Amino acid sequence: MESFSFIEFFRNYCNKVTSWDWYEDYKKHIEKVKNFRDKLIEGNSLSSSELDYLKNFFCAQSNAIANAGQGLAGTNARIDDINTLFDNNDAFKKLLVDLVRYGVPTEEDFLIFEDRIAEIFKANNHNKPTVLINRYVAGSTLEVSSLVNINQFKQTYRVLGDLLKTNEKYSSWYQGNINLLKAIDMQFVNELNLDRSLLDEYKSGLEFENDFTRTVQEKLGLPYNRIIRSMIPWLFFDNKINKPHLPPSPKETRLKSSLNTILYGPPGTGKTFNTVTFAMSILEPNLVLEETELENSYQDLKNKFDLLKKEGRIRFITFHQSTSYEDFVEGIKPFVEEYTGEDGQSEKRVIYDVAPGIFKDLCECASTPTGQEKSNFDEIWKQLITYLEDNEFIDIPLLSKEKTFKITLNKSGDGLTTIEDNPKFFNKEQLYRIYTGEKGVPRGGHDNYRKAVVEFLKTNKDFGLKEYNNKTIIDNTKPYVLIIDEINRGNISKIFGELITLIEEGKRKGQPEECEVTLPYSKKTFSVPSNVYIIGTMNTADRSIAIMDTALRRRFNFIEMPPKPELLGNVEIGNKTLDLSKMLDCINTRIELLFDKDHMLGHAFFFPLKKTPNLDLLGRIFKQKIIPLLQEYFYDEYEKIAFILGDDQKSSNDFKFVKEKKFNQSYLKSNNLNEFDLKERTYEINYSSFNHIESYIEIYELVQSSKNDSSEKTE
């Protein structure tokens, strides 16, 4: 960024914003606010639906400006609370309406609005809604940016302001925005050699364009208006500053740099847990926080993760020995089909057809265009649903014109069903596939009905669906994530088949070395899109990286997730302090010496103690997790287990986890006893040791004492 060119930055990061759904939503919102303002200036009142729009725009988790993220949670108020506040508090309602009417002419107006909203929220036991305030202001004026997060704006102002040579201090988020956007205007003037007088005639208000923006657009040969201008600071933050600090990595590693990544480490290091953070760093990078902030914000991140999973942007699979190519890519699978028998009764039969596996299905979703520049399919679909909400049914002629069938809304109101003895169900996605020339469902069943519906929407003058034009497709650039848990437990060659080559970054669709194959069952050509990310997890105690499939190792970026004892600290149990960090570090040091680092114990085993520090829970963790793992590692060689748990140094036999087993000597009497190769000693678990806090403290305490003693002697 030392040789920073603002125009180059704009060309690289800002020239495609007009194809984003977010840009269109922002534009539509400003148009609405402008209409509201005109109506209010003329002395008219807003309707109840218009007031609801302003209310929802203020408190919604996500609106046309920005996702509230932690902003809503930080108010200690739920959306329902803010809705109630708006409905019952006339002062609050008036503030929101007045801001739309008058805009935000000065910093003083902004500060007054901010203070009054804060007072109302405080009176109702809610915290100041800073992000919601900034977001609402950004939706009522084009004089500020859409970067409403205070900390993110400070970072952007510091870096971008320095590059644009504006070091002017500011007293509020509003004034900082004024300074920064003016500096952006001046940078366009300087780099494009524009007449500075264009800025003198710069008009405020909610107009998208003016002489200045039109001149910039003409010079650049790229779209430019005041909405794009408002988005520039956020685009700079997202592309030049925002590098999420992912919890598993000691450096600021951004996962987006690799399409294929495997998180590997011993059990209990949070690999599966952290796939949430890694996935969200790809899908919603602005929501991923610093590691120090993650503990308090993880649930919000997980909630968003679950929503994206429901939308189909995230898929999850666990590999095991029986996972096959048919599960992962495609195969022939049975389907139950309903049909009408000769007697007119509904019957069922099993048919076999080619069905996509989880990976192919995700790739097809990631390849599906997000829309068409000239297609009005979404609009017509909404129109159709609205019509059927007001009318019982529509008569649709079949393409043969021999007969018609009736369609109505399904029970949930989001799809269609035919009115007949054996109803057929259609949804939006199926009709869209017919519209684009594909099968509505893989087998094409009842597609003659779907084709008839699409044809009706095209030919009926009340709807007027435009012809599909595949030359105006907008490519799907949204990222999609496949999470493969326990990736090393599956037979990679068997599961991936020929796709092991296609997942390489350079072989993806649209890349210079793009590869495609003909799939064996469907006989269709297939390639892997560049917006599909694969995140795998690998437990090194099950299988070492060294003996993994070489083809897999070459195609994945590996990120180690070692145990982090330092995250545990101390816990108080009874009147004793247990240093969990030292205890785990001591255990792992001994395991590494006896075995290797791939079999160490992770810190996640002990995380529950940070919230519930008691002896019973500690005992259960050792009894049910730690001891069984050690028994598996060392094949019941109890001398080694005792060494790892420090039993040879403990002050009392009561504190030892492993004890020598005593036998009834009368059972051992035999004339042939000397002929047997009997063990000198046998051992068993001392279950009473779990009830003493000293059993755990003395795993590390005597070692620590001996280190101190030896260092004193050395001195």
Side-chain angles (χ1 to χ4, degrees):
M1 299 209 310
E2 294 176 358
S3 57
F4 178 74
S5 164
F6 184 75
I7 298 301
E8 183 182 346
F9 163 77
F10 186 89
R11 289 187 183 280
N12 289 338
Y13 300 107
C14 310
N15 64 349
K16 294 182 180 179
V17 295
T18 52
S19 65
W20 296 355
D21 292 340
W22 187 52
Y23 170 84
E24 286 299 325
D25 291 341
Y26 193 177
K27 186 177 177 182
K28 288 175 184 175
H29 167 74
I30 294 297
E31 287 172 339
K32 278 196 173 187
V33 171
K34 192 174 186 304
N35 290 334
F36 292 170
R37 181 171 295 175
D38 293 342
K39 187 174 181 179
L40 290 166
I41 290 173
E42 290 171 2
N44 299 314
S45 300
L46 298 182
S47 67
S48 58
S49 62
E50 290 168 337
L51 288 172
D52 282 342
Y53 179 85
L54 295 182
K55 174 177 64 176
N56 294 333
F57 185 78
F58 183 87
C59 68
Q61 186 74 49
S62 179
N63 65 19
I65 304 299
N67 190 309
Q70 295 297 302
L72 193 60
T75 66
N76 292 334
R78 298 172 304 168
I79 290 176
D80 290 344
D81 295 331
I82 304 177
N83 285 336
T84 302
L85 188 61
F86 182 92
D87 293 335
N88 299 331
N89 191 306
D90 290 337
F92 180 40
K93 189 182 301 182
K94 186 175 185 303
L95 280 169
L96 297 189
V97 172
D98 282 352
L99 195 73
V100 167
R101 178 177 181 176
Y102 300 110
V104 194
T106 66
E107 182 183 24
E108 183 181 2
D109 294 306
F110 168 76
L111 295 175
I112 290 172
F113 176 76
E114 185 180 47
D115 288 344
R116 288 181 178 171
I117 293 286
E119 288 171 7
I120 291 171
F121 269 63
K122 185 178 180 181
N124 288 272
N125 300 315
H126 302 317
N127 297 332
K128 178 181 175 181
T130 302
V131 173
L132 305 188
I133 290 172
N134 293 352
R135 204 172 56 160
Y136 192 80
V137 170
S140 304
T141 177
L142 288 175
E143 298 306 308
V144 296
S145 76
S146 62
L147 185 56
V148 296
N149 181 292
I150 295 290
N151 291 328
Q152 293 174 0
F153 180 77
K154 284 180 180 177
Q155 293 179 59
T156 302
Y157 190 91
R158 186 174 63 250
V159 179
L160 182 56
D162 184 56
L163 292 168
L164 301 181
K165 298 179 175 53
T166 175
N167 298 312
E168 189 177 345
K169 292 183 179 180
Y170 60 91
S171 53
S172 68
W173 168 83
Y174 177 87
Q175 189 58 49
N177 268 279
I178 299 295
N179 296 347
L180 192 58
L181 291 181
K182 283 184 176 178
I184 288 171
D185 290 340
M186 187 55 66
Q187 194 68 21
F188 274 125
V189 168
N190 294 335
E191 292 195 32
L192 295 175
N193 296 316
L194 303 181
D195 187 341
R196 294 184 62 170
S197 64
L198 285 169
L199 293 178
D200 298 333
E201 300 174 8
Y202 206 114
K203 293 181 180 179
S204 60
L206 293 172
E207 290 75 19
F208 299 151
E209 297 180 343
N210 55 31
D211 289 343
F212 177 73
T213 62
R214 282 190 285 268
T215 303
V216 171
Q217 178 171 287
E218 183 180 342
K219 285 277 187 178
L220 286 175
L222 296 171
Y224 187 69
N225 55 39
R226 295 181 70 213
I227 294 179
I228 297 174
R229 173 183 184 254
S230 294
M231 294 166 66
I232 288 174
W234 180 83
L235 289 162
F236 185 87
F237 170 81
D238 191 49
N239 292 287
K240 291 292 184 181
I241 293 179
N242 183 30
K243 299 176 181 177
H245 183 83
L246 303 175
S249 175
K251 297 180 180 179
E252 290 188 346
T253 304
R254 184 159 187 166
L255 186 61
K256 263 193 170 179
S257 61
S258 175
L259 292 173
N260 308 317
T261 301
I262 289 179
L263 314 181
Y264 72 97
T269 53
K271 296 177 293 298
T272 304
F273 175 86
N274 275 298
T275 55
V276 172
T277 306
F278 271 82
M280 294 308 293
S281 76
I282 295 168
L283 302 172
E284 295 281 352
N286 289 335
L287 296 182
V288 180
L289 304 176
E290 296 292 330
E291 184 174 0
T292 53
E293 301 172 336
L294 187 61
E295 186 174 347
N296 296 325
S297 66
Y298 180 81
Q299 191 55 50
D300 292 329
L301 205 64
K302 180 63 165 62
N303 291 340
K304 181 65 176 176
F305 175 91
D306 291 338
L307 285 174
L308 290 171
K309 195 173 176 185
K310 286 181 181 178
E311 290 176 13
R313 298 272 303 282
I314 300 172
R315 307 289 176 91
F316 186 96
I317 184 174
T318 299
F319 277 4
H320 49 82
Q321 289 86 344
S322 299
T323 307
S324 67
Y325 180 90
E326 287 73 17
D327 300 317
F328 194 66
V329 185
E330 69 170 15
I332 296 175
K333 297 180 182 179
F335 296 91
V336 177
E337 183 179 66
E338 290 192 22
Y339 69 100
T340 303
E342 294 180 358
D343 56 359
Q345 298 298 313
S346 177
E347 297 183 19
K348 295 180 180 179
R349 61 187 172 197
V350 176
I351 62 171
Y352 292 85
D353 204 348
V354 177
I358 188 170
F359 183 62
K360 182 188 173 190
D361 190 54
L362 179 66
C363 290
E364 288 178 341
C365 289
S367 301
T368 302
T370 57
Q372 292 178 265
E373 293 176 16
K374 297 180 181 178
S375 168
N376 61 343
F377 183 85
D378 287 342
E379 177 188 339
I380 299 302
W381 171 260
K382 291 176 184 176
Q383 188 178 331
L384 176 63
I385 296 297
T386 302
Y387 182 89
L388 288 173
E389 287 173 346
D390 299 330
N391 298 272
E392 187 177 349
F393 62 85
I394 297 178
D395 254 325
I396 306 288
L398 285 169
L399 298 184
S400 63
K401 310 294 183 184
E402 294 178 359
K403 64 176 183 176
T404 64
F405 62 97
K406 293 179 173 61
I407 59 168
T408 188
L409 287 181
N410 61 9
K411 290 182 180 179
S412 59
D414 59 357
L416 309 175
T417 178
T418 59
I419 302 176
E420 54 187 341
D421 292 337
N422 295 301
K424 301 163 184 62
F425 301 94
F426 316 130
N427 60 31
K428 179 183 177 182
E429 290 72 24
Q430 293 168 355
L431 291 180
Y432 183 78
R433 284 196 284 269
I434 292 292
Y435 176 59
T436 60
E438 298 181 13
K439 290 182 179 180
V441 292
R443 303 185 309 278
H446 306 311
D447 272 0
N448 56 329
Y449 287 86
R450 297 185 185 92
K451 290 176 181 178
V453 173
V454 171
E455 186 63 25
F456 173 83
L457 295 176
K458 288 180 181 178
T459 56
N460 188 281
K461 63 180 181 179
D462 292 331
F463 293 97
L465 177 64
K466 294 179 181 178
E467 287 292 338
Y468 176 73
N469 183 353
N470 60 7
K471 294 181 180 179
T472 59
I473 287 177
I474 301 173
D475 290 334
N476 188 351
T477 58
K478 293 179 181 178
Y480 290 72
V481 174
L482 175 66
I483 297 172
I484 305 175
D485 203 21
E486 305 284 1
I487 191 170
N488 54 311
R489 298 192 66 212
N491 184 329
I492 298 302
S493 299
K494 171 185 172 185
I495 296 170
F496 277 85
E498 68 275 30
L499 266 60
I500 196 67
T501 298
L502 272 60
I503 65 171
E504 287 183 39
E505 297 191 18
K507 304 281 197 312
R508 298 286 189 103
K509 185 185 295 184
Q511 298 304 310
E513 299 178 31
E514 176 184 341
C515 283
E516 62 179 21
V517 298
T518 300
L519 296 176
Y521 292 99
S522 64
K523 305 303 179 185
K524 289 184 177 179
T525 57
F526 177 78
S527 59
V528 179
S530 294
N531 55 333
V532 170
Y533 293 77
I534 302 174
I535 305 173
T537 69
M538 173 179 166
N539 187 337
T540 53
D542 288 344
R543 191 177 182 187
S544 168
I545 289 179
I547 59 172
M548 277 196 68
D549 189 295
T550 306
L552 188 71
R553 277 193 288 146
R554 284 192 291 107
R555 289 169 171 86
F556 277 80
N557 176 38
F558 284 80
I559 295 179
E560 184 177 11
M561 297 190 64
K564 293 186 177 181
E566 66 275 10
L567 298 180
L568 296 172
N570 300 334
V571 293
E572 299 294 327
I573 297 180
N575 58 353
K576 298 278 188 178
T577 299
L578 175 64
D579 191 331
L580 290 172
S581 297
K582 284 184 181 177
M583 182 185 73
L584 180 59
D585 187 48
C586 189
I587 289 173
N588 281 337
T589 299
R590 292 166 180 163
I591 290 176
E592 188 170 7
L593 288 171
L594 283 180
F595 205 159
D596 56 41
K597 72 173 187 175
D598 288 341
H599 290 76
M600 294 193 294
L601 304 178
H603 49 277
F605 287 123
F606 301 99
F607 265 155
L609 288 165
K610 291 170 69 67
K611 289 187 177 180
T612 314
N614 62 62
L615 190 58
D616 179 61
L617 177 58
L618 179 60
R620 279 189 278 119
I621 291 171
F622 267 79
K623 190 186 306 181
Q624 298 171 7
K625 296 181 179 179
I626 306 304
I627 299 291
L629 260 180
L630 294 176
Q631 287 174 316
E632 181 184 336
Y633 287 173
F634 296 102
Y635 304 101
D636 291 336
E637 293 183 65
Y638 283 97
E639 294 94 335
K640 291 182 179 179
I641 295 173
F643 167 71
I644 286 167
L645 299 176
D647 283 355
D648 57 325
Q649 303 183 70
K650 288 180 176 172
S651 59
S652 168
N653 288 333
D654 293 337
F655 306 152
K656 295 181 178 181
F657 293 104
V658 176
K659 66 179 181 180
E660 188 174 344
K661 190 172 184 179
K662 303 298 182 183
F663 292 96
N664 187 330
Q665 294 299 316
S666 63
Y667 296 163
L668 303 178
K669 292 179 180 178
S670 172
N671 294 329
N672 301 318
L673 193 62
N674 293 331
E675 297 178 10
F676 303 134
D677 184 17
L678 298 180
K679 295 180 180 178
E680 292 184 10
R681 293 185 181 86
T682 57
Y683 299 90
E684 63 182 350
I685 300 301
N686 177 19
Y687 287 99
S688 64
S689 64
F690 298 122
N691 302 322
H692 302 285
I693 188 62
E694 291 82 4
S695 303
Y696 310 96
I697 293 175
E698 292 189 9
I699 289 175
Y700 64 86
E701 190 176 64
L702 294 180
V703 173
Q704 188 65 35
S705 300
S706 64
K707 283 183 180 178
N708 292 338
D709 293 342
S710 62
S711 63
E712 288 173 6
K713 289 176 183 177
T714 304
E715 291 172 1

